[in-house]
Amino acid sequence: MSPIENEPTTDKPRILLLSGSTRRQSYNTRLARHMARSVEQAGGISTLISLADYPMAIYHGDDEAQSGLPESARQLRSLFKSHHGVFFASPEENSSMSALLKNTLDWLSRADGDEPGKVPYIGKVAAIGGATTGASGTRLGLLHLRTVLSGLGMLVLPSIMTIPFAANAFDDAGDLQSEEQRTAAEAVALALVRTAAAVGVTS
Ligand SMILES: Cc1cc2nc3c(=O)[nH]c(=O)nc-3n(C[C@H](O)[C@H](O)[C@H](O)COP(=O)(O)O)c2cc1C
């Protein structure tokens, strides 16, 4: 069945959360972890994953022609399909999303046998955010991410979660220190959970 033929959920919406960085001390992973807690508080069920558990070579058409999708891309496609919404925390790398995140999105967008490439994305609700040590809060990078996710068929929420000067943003427990940022995280999580419950689909 096509995902857009599915009914919206009457249960708690399932939200997948991932960071576009696998760096051990990643600020974006901290943001994703904070958002996972906010999603639970907003009434959703959160699944926080690390892309380190889904390694993929840089996309290459010859590799795909010879071997198809990497097993990790298949697993991640399944995970996307079983969730109603996704939160992406992406570093900004030269005014765009991280190469790791783009490569992952690219592999997942490829057809798997008879299943069209965009199936894991279509009808899902996305919320985006990013943390950077710089002043911009990843706003430029998130513009690119929004464009890519929209092109893949996701409904990307207008509110974004930006964390500038990330080195000072989190306390030792990994929580956002600023009340303003905590409130923003709550608002984005609530919008994600409510919209995913209303229109998000699984496939
Ligand atoms: C190749 C590269 C390019 C970067 N470009 C930007 C940028 O355009 N804007 C920005 O604010 N930070 C930029 N940064 C800094 C990263 O956003 C910062 O290192 C961030 O903490 C990385 O995310 P992480 O902590 O989740 O690993 C760049 C870092 C690297 C390695």
Side-chain angles (χ1 to χ4, degrees), residues 32-175:
R33 203 175 292 132
H34 185 98
M35 291 302 293
R37 289 194 290 268
S38 300
V39 161
E40 296 274 340
Q41 283 159 9
I45 296 172
S46 61
T47 309
L48 177 63
I49 61 163
S50 168
L51 293 182
D53 295 326
Y54 301 89
M56 296 169 211
I58 296 289
Y59 175 82
H60 194 298
D62 291 344
D63 292 345
E64 184 190 19
Q66 193 174 339
S67 310
L69 266 60
E71 188 50 35
S72 53
R74 286 217 173 83
Q75 290 168 358
L76 213 41
R77 277 175 68 90
S78 290
L79 213 43
F80 269 60
K81 286 190 288 179
S82 64
H83 286 75
H84 303 92
V86 187
F87 179 78
F88 299 88
S90 179
E92 184 169 278
E93 290 180 359
N94 296 316
S95 310
S96 189
M97 77 200 78
S98 71
L100 170 67
L101 180 55
K102 181 62 164 58
N103 188 54
T104 303
L105 294 171
D106 285 350
W107 268 118
L108 262 62
S109 73
R110 302 300 294 166
D112 188 14
D114 292 338
E115 187 176 80
K118 289 185 180 174
V119 166
Y121 299 107
I122 292 173
K124 313 285 179 191
V125 180
I128 59 177
T132 173
T133 46
S136 75
T138 71
R139 285 180 182 281
L140 280 176
L142 294 180
L143 281 178
H144 282 189
L145 181 56
R146 175 181 295 285
T147 301
V148 169
L149 297 177
S150 300
L152 290 167
M154 298 188 91
L155 173 65
V156 188
L157 296 181
S159 305
I160 58 176
M161 189 64 221
T162 52
I163 310 289
F165 308 118
N168 300 318
F170 298 90
D171 64 20
D172 291 343
D175 285 316

Side-chain angles (χ1 to χ4, degrees), residues 6-27:
N6 267 356
E7 293 294 319
T9 182
T10 51
D11 300 325
K12 283 184 168 190
R14 289 191 293 281
I15 309 296
L16 185 66
L17 302 100
L18 58 90
S19 165
S21 169
T22 54
R23 193 172 69 85
R24 276 193 298 277
Q25 300 298 325
S26 162
Y27 300 119

